[in-house]
Structures are given as structure tokens and as C-alpha cells.
Amino acid sequence: MKRLLALFATLLPATFPQAQPANCPGFENCVYTPLQQTEFAGQMVPVTYDDYFGLSRRIETWVRVPNVRTGRFPVVIWAHGGAEGRTAGIPGILQAPSDLSAGAGYLTISPAFRPRTPEEREPLCEFFEAPPEMCAQFETSSWDRPFDIRAIIAMLHRENDREASPLYQRIDLEKIVVGGHSAGSSGTLSVAGAWRQFGSKRIGGSDTFEDPAPIAFIALSPSASGYSYMFDTSFRDEEHSWKYVARPVLFVTGAGDGHEQQPHGRRIGYDYSPGYNNKFLAWFDDTTFSHGNYGEEPCEVPGEQRRCAAFTAAWSSVILSYLDAFVHQRPAAIEYMNKGYATRIPRGLFEIEWTSK
Amino acid sequence: MRHRFALIITANTLLFGQPAQLPEVCEQFAPDCLYRRSTEVRFAESSTSVTYKDIAGLDRAVVLQVRVPDVTGDALLPVVVWSPGADLESSVAGTPLLRNWSDTTAAAGYLTVTVGHVTRDEAQKAALCRAIEIPDELCGTYDAGAWDRAQDLQFILQNVAAFNESGPPGIRGRIDLEKVAVAGFAAGADAAMSSAGAGRLLTPGATRVAPNLFRAEGPAAFVFLSPPAPGADGFFEYDYLQPQHSWSKLDRPALTLTGAGDNTCQGFAGCMTGATPALRTIAFQLQPANGKYQFFLKPVTADHSFLGSLDVDDCVGKEVEQIACESNARYLKSAVLAFLDSSLGKVSRAQLWMNEGLIVPASADQVAWRKK
């Protein structure tokens, strides 16, 4: 984390040798510096629970524990994307945002959403009355992600209460944030209260996907209506996926964020979510930055080092300021968000739209 | 927009049980602030066909359902060319296409030409596939209609002057060549967008940099009812290292209309086919500013087909209250006529209605209106 911030500090001035300093009082180069900056250590932690159908489900997570010896950790759970799922809890899962939040003092959990085995698919396909050919293609991680996240939250409660746990009384259960990328955003928003439509069945709410514990959510490269089981209004039906997403959400996407969807479609979640002065959208209006760049892939476009540095600085700043604002109510973070300082980081290289409602 | 509120008793009073407050400017559009012509004209209907050499070198016949307003005097007639959706193709030889819309524009004094895009037979389709280099194995599922609608419109629009010189007596010499609009519904909106200059990827050789183009220079305005989503029907938007999109060259006035009920998605996981209402709004978002408007009907009481049919009986048959069906039809007609009169006729009253966004108070906020 410290290395990352140091990189911004060195790259950004060099990026604009002729430019006047950007005007963001208190924020060098308009980059947000988090409340805490710390080293962290990681390890694989399995999570086991009984799924919706009563089957035992085990997933692996990679847990980053900040090197902070006192106090309780706020928590960020990062949900990776990818329809095919992942199996092993390793550091590489959504590494960039995970390193970012852990380095800012957040206990960070990065699960691997294991796809179901053929046997495990059966009850799910029966539930959805999915014909065999559809069952074979069904992206089971889309179903399991929210439940897996809920199981992780339950695990946090257990570890916080378990005297033998290294995290005994060290977790701030009132400060849990869930974030995700791509399909992981759909899972994240499901935990926030979004409904999904699997065939003719709509699923959502506290009986299934929604968890009341998290206080804020981050959706990187969120899916459009019509994709990832997110649905829109239709004739004689006013329901849509985002109608009940009441808690704070930061949406982050941009013009290069296609990847089998439409970049402007990825703004729909923001547009449709009810605004209670707690929804935010960062739109990077440049096609240089790929779908992967919004999640875990570093921006490494040949010849675009300056743009990539500015993107990474802005992407990191909107995430960290949002976390510190909603978790710590840090005045500097709130000011940074309210004034949209991240939009000033590129200084003419590209535009960032920052909007809220 | 300045809101100087005045109390005007309108149909909304009856609808919602309390007097609706309308801006004072609505007094010019009494009783309900909707835009309408003071009088409607009668019109004569006829059907004809024109034939042209298509890209495959075949003679392609296109049906034209023509409505000529009964307007006396020497005034030239503005023109609206309508392109229907795909599901209406099969009825080309029978019932009128886009009847309500065509009647509406004809009664408003527009020479109205509604195009019957005749479906190809297998041999004709195979010839088209060869001509545009669609591989044989893909030709069976290729949407030839997407190409044909755009090609048909381009031919018609490029030959409006010729029709004016040598067309039937009711048309000959009566067309105002400066006042031609193109309007389409669903797949017809796709074709209208092509006429407006939208780039599409309909053939293997097309690229984002060099897409398939069917631009027609003559039309001065465009209406898109239930527009396409990017990613469908050859339309595309930005992507990683791809700073192009279909709508970047739409430099003439356009009105885009859709609504919360305009959802045609089908598929277990979402939209395997069709488009969501929100995705349909992207076409407006990406059009360059200047003379662009979007009409979004917020209630879910109008389905996709209603936007093309304006069929109140069908709407009521789908268990929507009659008053809602009728209101939706009035809102849609009002906006389209105001747009046509504004952009073609330069009618100041219509321009006022458009620029003030008076559909919003007229519909009691049932329509979201955007302009840029």
C-alpha cells in the first residue's frame, strides 16, 4: 500500500511536468490518502456452511489482516467476477482492491466462489426448473455468491466471539463493507438488496440474498439490466433489480468497460438505485481502461503509462475515500467525495464524471 | 424553464381527483397542455410499389402505402416516411402498416409514406448473403430484414426528388424536398437510424471504423420508436480501446421514444434476445447534442407493441385501464407531432412546446423528457 501511494506520488508530477498543481487543498496531486496506511499479512481461511438446499458447501477465502495491534478492524469483503468461478483461496483474487483496502487498515476477505459440481447443480436446476441443456450452462456462482458472502459475515461473527481466534474481539461488526467486480458486483448488490431473475423466478430479500449487516457497498463494473440475472421493468411490472438497494453504493465503471456488455449499460444500476444521498458513480470517460482494469488487472496499455497512472490513482482514491467516508466518517474523506477531487487527477488526459444522488 | 404556475382545469383533474397545476405557458395548449393541430385534414390512401436493383443485383420490390392529405392550394407537402417493425412484415400485402401512426401524420398534413419491407424468399436471401459475404452456413439464421429495411429506406429517400418529378398525380410536384422526416418503430427504428447515419455491423467485412452505412442526406428529422440497444441488430457502443459507436454521426434532429414497459428481453439469464428499457435509452445518450429529444414513458402500461400500434383496444385487452391506454397514446402522438412540426415546419408553437418540455406537466410527470 505504501509502495502504491509512493508510486502515485512519483508518477503523477512527472506526468504533468508543465502543468500547474491541481487545486485540491489538502490532497497532494488530488490523490486521496487513507486514514491509515499499514502493512498486512494474509492466509487462506475456509468457510463452510449449509446451502439453501441443505448441502454442505465449502469455499476458500484469502484473508488479509492489517498489521494494527489494537482496536477493531473494519472489514471489506471483495467478490470477484467471472462466470466460471474460482476454487482456491489465494492472494491473487481481486488482488488490487484487496491490497488497497488491507493497506488502508481494513480486514480484507477475498473469497473464491467455487462453481458447483454436477451433483451440486442438480437441486439448483430442479429449483429453477431449468432444462438439462440450460442447467449445464447455468452460472452457479451467480447464485452462490450472495450466500457465500453471507456465510463469510456469519464467520466474522463467530471469529469475533471465539476466544481462541486471533481475531477475537478484533472485528468491528458494525463496519462491514462488501465490494465486487463484474459478476461479483451483481452478488454484492444482491447482498445489498438487489433482486435477480433466474428464468421465471425472482430471488432476493432477506430470506435469500440480502444481509442486513454491511453498511456500504462497492460495485466495480456492475452489470446492466438484462445481464447477470439483473432485470428491468417491463409491461405491467414495475419491479426491477435495484429497487430495494437502500444502503450506500459506490458504482465505478467507464467507456472501456465492455466485456460482453455495453459500457453505458453498466451505469444502469446507479441510475435505477434509489438515491438517499448515498449513491455515487465514478465514470471514466476513456476507452483506454478495460473491464479488467476496474477490478484486478493493472492498467498496462503500451504507451499509455501516464493515463494508466492517473487512472489507478483516481480509481484508488474514489474507493478509499468512499470507504473512509462511510466507515470512519472521516471529514477529509467526506470532503474529498463531496468536492469530486478525483475528477481532477487526470488533468486533461481524460475526463471522469463524478455524480451522486 | 421558468415555471409560472397557473391553475388550469384539465383532464388531469378528472384523472387524479385534484386540480393539476400547469405552467402558465400551457394556456397556449389548452385544455391539457398537449400539443395538437387545431384541425385535422382528410387524406386519400393508396398503395403502390417501387422496384430497385438491390446489392445482389436483383429486382427488389417495396410496397409503399401512401396517404396524401387533402390540402388545397399550392403549398408543398412535408413528408414522413414510416418504417414498421419486423413483426409487421408478414402483413405487407394485407392490413395497413403502422396504421395509427400513419393516419396521425397524414391527418396532420404530412404526405405519409409507409414502407412495406417485403420479406425475401430463400433464393433472394441466398443471393443477398453471397453479395454481402455472409457465409453459407450462417445465411439461414442471418437477419436479411435488417439489411433490407435500411437499404429500402436509403433507396426511397435518395429518390424522393424523382418521385416528386414523375410520381403519381397526387404526389407529383407536391413534395417539399426540404421537409422530409423518417420515422420507424422497432426494427424500423433501426432502419431509420441507419438513414440518419448510424453505423452498423451487419456484414463480416464491416468494422467499427468502417461500419455498414445507409445514410440518406435528404431527411431533415428522425423519429425512433422503441430504439435498439447497442450490441443488438448491428449497433455498437464504446469498448476497450474502441472509441467508436454507432450514433456519432447523427447530426440532424431526432426524437427517441421508449418507456418502462418497452422490454422485450427473453432468456433464462436475461436478454438472450430483445432489449431492456434502460438499454434502449443508450442510443439517445450517445447521439451528439443539438436537436435531440428523448421521451420516456414512466408507467409500465405501454408494452413494446403499443409504441408501434397505438392500439387502445389491444392495450385494454391486456388488462390496462382504458384511460391509461388513451393517455399514453395521446402523449406519444403529441410528442411526435410537436417534433415534426418543430423540426420540419419550424412552427414556433411546436418549438415552444418542445423546448419547454411541456409533455412533462401535460402528462402529470408520467413522461420523462430529455433534450440536448
Side-chain angles (χ1 to χ4, degrees):
Chain A
M1 175 67 186
K2 284 178 180 170
R3 281 198 300 275
L4 196 61
L5 291 171
L7 179 68
F8 298 156
T10 56
L11 260 179
L12 288 171
T15 298
F16 315 103
Q18 306 301 323
Q20 295 296 312
N23 184 22
C24 304
F27 300 94
E28 188 177 356
N29 292 313
C30 293
V31 172
Y32 179 78
T33 304
L35 182 63
Q36 297 187 60
Q37 293 180 61
T38 177
E39 301 294 327
F40 52 86
Q43 69 177 87
M44 195 282 284
V45 175
V47 176
T48 303
Y49 69 102
D50 287 345
D51 78 2
Y52 191 75
F53 308 101
L55 299 175
S56 179
R57 175 170 168 82
R58 180 184 183 276
I59 61 166
E60 294 185 359
T61 70
W62 188 261
V63 177
R64 290 167 172 82
V65 182
N67 187 17
V68 178
R69 294 183 181 279
T70 59
R72 292 176 183 254
F73 294 115
V75 179
V76 180
I77 301 167
W78 282 109
H80 70 78
E84 70 283 357
R86 297 189 185 180
T87 55
I90 56 173
I93 301 169
L94 270 187
Q95 183 163 356
S98 299
D99 284 351
L100 193 71
S101 57
Y106 293 82
L107 176 69
T108 298
I109 316 217
S110 309
F113 300 110
R114 180 179 62 77
R116 288 180 174 240
T117 64
E119 295 72 29
E120 291 170 331
R121 279 176 178 268
E122 283 181 16
L124 193 54
C125 292
E126 282 178 25
F127 179 69
F128 287 122
E129 299 168 355
E133 67 277 10
M134 196 166 285
C135 182
Q137 299 171 10
F138 182 36
E139 299 161 3
T140 62
S141 297
S142 294
W143 167 263
D144 285 316
R145 268 189 193 88
F147 292 110
D148 290 351
I149 292 168
R150 296 196 68 178
I152 290 166
I153 292 170
M155 179 269 286
L156 290 171
H157 279 82
R158 287 195 303 273
E159 290 301 299
N160 193 54
D161 292 343
R162 188 168 65 88
E163 290 186 22
S165 170
L167 292 173
Y168 176 63
Q169 299 291 300
R170 292 295 316 277
I171 304 172
D172 191 337
L173 296 166
E174 303 297 315
K175 293 181 176 175
I176 297 173
V177 176
V178 180
H181 173 244
S182 194
S185 278
S186 302
T188 295
L189 291 170
S190 298
V191 176
W195 283 62
R196 317 278 287 279
Q197 180 156 341
F198 300 82
S200 60
K201 285 196 177 180
R202 288 187 180 164
I203 307 292
S206 57
D207 291 343
T208 51
F209 291 160
E210 186 176 357
D211 194 294
I215 59 169
F217 300 85
I218 299 172
L220 307 172
S221 299
S223 289
S225 56
Y227 293 89
S228 192
Y229 309 94
M230 309 300 277
F231 62 94
D232 208 328
T233 58
S234 57
F235 180 53
R236 297 182 61 207
D237 186 353
E238 294 177 335
E239 296 296 309
H240 59 74
S241 280
W242 300 271
K243 193 170 185 176
Y244 306 107
V245 179
R247 284 171 280 179
V249 183
L250 167 67
F251 297 85
V252 184
T253 182
D257 194 4
H259 192 70
E260 300 172 356
Q261 293 190 29
Q262 313 308 321
H264 279 77
R266 296 189 185 278
R267 298 173 59 118
I268 292 171
Y270 172 79
D271 292 339
Y272 273 38
S273 295
Y276 301 114
N277 294 317
N278 64 3
K279 302 298 188 303
F280 304 86
L281 171 67
W283 168 266
F284 291 76
D285 198 18
D286 192 303
T287 60
T288 306
F289 318 119
S290 72
H291 179 67
N293 294 154
Y294 290 92
E296 54 196 319
E297 295 170 11
C299 182
E300 294 176 336
V301 181
E304 297 288 5
Q305 187 185 19
R306 295 166 58 195
R307 278 178 195 268
C308 284
F311 169 81
T312 306
W315 175 87
S316 303
S317 291
V318 294
I319 292 172
L320 289 175
S321 60
Y322 173 81
L323 286 173
D324 282 357
F326 279 93
V327 172
H328 298 299
Q329 290 81 47
R330 184 189 187 198
I334 294 168
E335 179 193 6
Y336 188 90
M337 292 184 71
N338 284 342
K339 294 191 172 172
Y341 281 155
T343 64
R344 304 182 191 180
I345 290 175
R347 294 166 69 184
L349 281 175
F350 57 88
E351 297 293 321
I352 300 173
E353 176 189 342
W354 173 255
T355 186
S356 64
K357 62 178 183 180
Chain B
M1 182 170 62
R2 284 185 303 158
H3 284 283
R4 290 174 297 166
F5 288 100
L7 197 64
I8 299 175
I9 305 301
T10 73
N12 290 323
T13 307
L14 303 174
L15 252 177
F16 300 103
Q18 57 185 5
Q21 287 188 315
L22 294 171
E24 191 174 305
V25 66
C26 284
E27 289 176 351
Q28 298 178 52
F29 303 94
D32 51 13
C33 204
L34 287 174
Y35 181 83
R36 54 173 64 82
R37 289 289 188 86
S38 54
T39 56
E40 294 192 341
V41 297
R42 290 186 296 181
F43 51 87
E45 290 184 64
S46 63
S47 183
T48 185
S49 69
V50 293
T51 302
Y52 69 96
K53 290 285 185 196
D54 73 6
I55 194 169
L58 301 177
D59 286 335
R60 175 166 169 78
V62 178
V63 175
L64 302 180
Q65 297 177 350
V66 182
R67 290 166 173 80
V68 183
D70 183 12
V71 178
T72 56
D74 296 332
L76 296 175
L77 295 173
V79 178
V80 179
V81 178
W82 281 100
S83 178
D87 55 334
L88 296 171
E89 279 186 325
S90 59
S91 62
V92 164
T95 56
L97 302 165
L98 292 177
R99 170 186 275 278
N100 281 325
W101 277 118
S102 302
D103 286 353
T104 297
T105 53
Y110 290 87
L111 194 159
T112 299
V113 179
T114 309
V115 182
H117 302 287
V118 179
T119 306
R120 287 174 180 262
D121 64 27
E122 288 303 309
Q124 291 168 334
K125 186 175 179 182
L128 175 67
C129 287
R130 283 194 296 276
I132 60 176
E133 299 179 331
I134 304 297
D136 290 345
E137 63 274 21
L138 299 179
C139 188
T141 55
Y142 183 71
D143 180 10
W147 178 277
D148 281 330
R149 278 182 219 97
Q151 185 183 238
D152 292 347
L153 281 189
Q154 189 179 37
F155 167 75
I156 292 163
L157 295 167
Q158 285 174 343
N159 287 279
V160 174
F163 297 146
N164 196 39
E165 284 183 12
S166 58
I171 296 176
R172 193 180 310 155
R174 301 198 63 194
I175 296 175
D176 189 338
L177 297 173
E178 303 297 316
K179 295 179 180 174
V180 176
V182 183
F185 162 65
D190 297 1
M193 281 184 171
S194 288
S195 301
R200 297 170 71 179
L201 304 176
L202 296 175
T203 61
T207 66
R208 288 167 166 269
V209 178
N212 298 117
L213 294 174
F214 301 88
R215 182 182 172 100
E217 296 300 336
F222 299 86
V223 175
F224 311 126
L225 287 157
S226 193
D233 306 320
F235 291 91
F236 57 93
E237 76 138 305
Y238 298 119
D239 206 341
Y240 176 49
L241 299 180
Q242 306 279 0
Q244 310 86 12
H245 63 77
S246 283
W247 297 274
S248 59
K249 302 286 174 58
L250 266 66
D251 50 6
R252 287 166 283 181
L255 170 64
T256 304
L257 305 98
T258 183
D262 191 9
N263 192 336
T264 54
C265 277
Q266 291 187 334
F268 184 81
C271 260
M272 299 302 288
T273 62
T276 67
L279 289 171
R280 292 186 193 280
T281 66
I282 294 174
F284 171 79
Q285 294 173 44
L286 290 175
Q287 290 173 40
N290 198 11
K292 305 301 194 305
Y293 301 87
Q294 178 174 267
F295 170 113
F296 189 92
L297 188 61
K298 294 188 208 175
V300 293
T301 48
D303 67 358
H304 174 70
S305 66
F306 185 83
L307 296 176
S309 71
L310 300 178
D311 188 335
V312 169
D313 290 340
D314 181 60
C315 177
V316 172
K318 292 172 180 170
E319 299 181 11
V320 178
E321 287 188 22
Q322 181 152 353
I323 194 166
C325 299
E326 290 173 345
S327 295
N328 292 340
R330 279 200 303 271
Y331 302 153
L332 288 159
K333 285 182 186 177
S334 185
V336 168
L337 286 182
F339 173 74
L340 293 172
D341 285 357
S342 168
S343 52
L344 291 191
K346 310 298 182 194
V347 176
S348 57
R349 211 170 142 266
Q351 290 172 331
L352 174 70
W353 194 88
M354 296 289 291
N355 290 331
E356 293 288 308
L358 295 183
I359 187 65
V360 177
S363 67
D365 202 29
Q366 300 296 288
V367 174
W369 182 254
R370 292 180 64 189
K371 67 175 181 178
K372 61 179 181 179

